[in-house]
Amino acid sequence: MKYKIVADSSSNVYNVEDIDFCSVPLKVSVGEKEYVDTKETDAVSLARELKTSTEKTGTSCPNIYDWQESFRNAENIFAITITSQLSGSYTAAVNAKKLYQETNKNTKIHVIDSLSTGPEMKLIIEKLCEYIKDGLNFENIIEKINEYKKRTHLLFCLESLTNLAKNGRISPAVARLAGLLGVRVVGKASDVGTLEPLSKPRGEKKALLSLYEHIKSSGFCGGKIRIAHCDNFSQAEALKDLILNDFPKTDIKIEPCGVLCSYYAELGGILVGVES
Ligand code: X90
């Protein structure tokens, strides 16, 4: 069977080896300018510029047309999106599927609402690749990926929630948690796909320990870990060391956040995809 995986760019995955893959970009706007979330756009420079920018900023998700274009030249498609609770990406993908199948009756498309973003989406994409390489059929993969998703989690540590609040993705009460200098917010993607704060540690060291505690309480005991960071490689490495100290065989990869994740996670932000 011929398979294709498509994911919106909030996954921070822009290409995949050996499997037909397409990243469907979200966009960040700053005043009149628009930044498309592709591998070529410098996400960290943009995040730095935004810290001091006085322009109105925002984001937009792929539209029905963008998703339909990503379906071209494929027979069996898995499309994976950022949580439907915080973005219109999932709804657009579902509508694109309906329209596309009107004229492409034999194309199978399964849209997955990750109820999460970033490195948890990456874990799901990697697992889809495994199933495809193992030669499983389409229906079987759907069944197995639904089971797998129950064992993946997203934890994060953010230094600022300003952009999440400004764009109405969290309540003002939650936004105030990170109002004080040096206070970070450790949280998770909840079971229903919303941002759930868990603690507000003060200082980098405490934040790291709190993040690791919550990774363990999510059920982690040596499964895969994927870390995405916005200009904070040192904290990502420190987390990796903490984990390897307790679970020396853990498969851990660190990657930079792309444009969309950098916009919301902001400078210093760390996102962690966890397998339990
Ligand atoms: O449609 C759009 O314009 C995109 C909106 C995306 C809003 C949320 C992005 C979150 C990025 C920040 C920390 C993790 C939060 C996870 C909650 C499920 C990453």
Side-chain angles (χ1 to χ4, degrees), residues 26 59-61 82-83 86-88 115-117 154 156 158 164 169 189 193-195 260 264-265 271:
L26 288 101
T59 62
S60 59
C61 66
I82 186 171
T83 171
L86 299 181
S87 168
L115 297 176
S116 182
T117 189
L154 181 77
F156 52 83
L158 305 180
L164 281 161
R169 314 287 161 170
T194 52
L195 185 153
L260 189 276
Y264 284 106
L271 313 182

Side-chain angles (χ1 to χ4, degrees), residues 64 67-68 71 90-105 107-111:
I64 298 179
W67 279 110
Q68 278 189 290
F71 299 157
Y90 175 74
T91 307
V94 168
N95 289 328
K97 167 190 154 129
K98 280 184 204 145
L99 269 175
Y100 191 84
Q101 286 178 329
E102 281 175 13
T103 45
N104 299 270
K105 294 208 165 44
T107 310
K108 291 184 184 175
I109 305 171
H110 179 64
V111 185

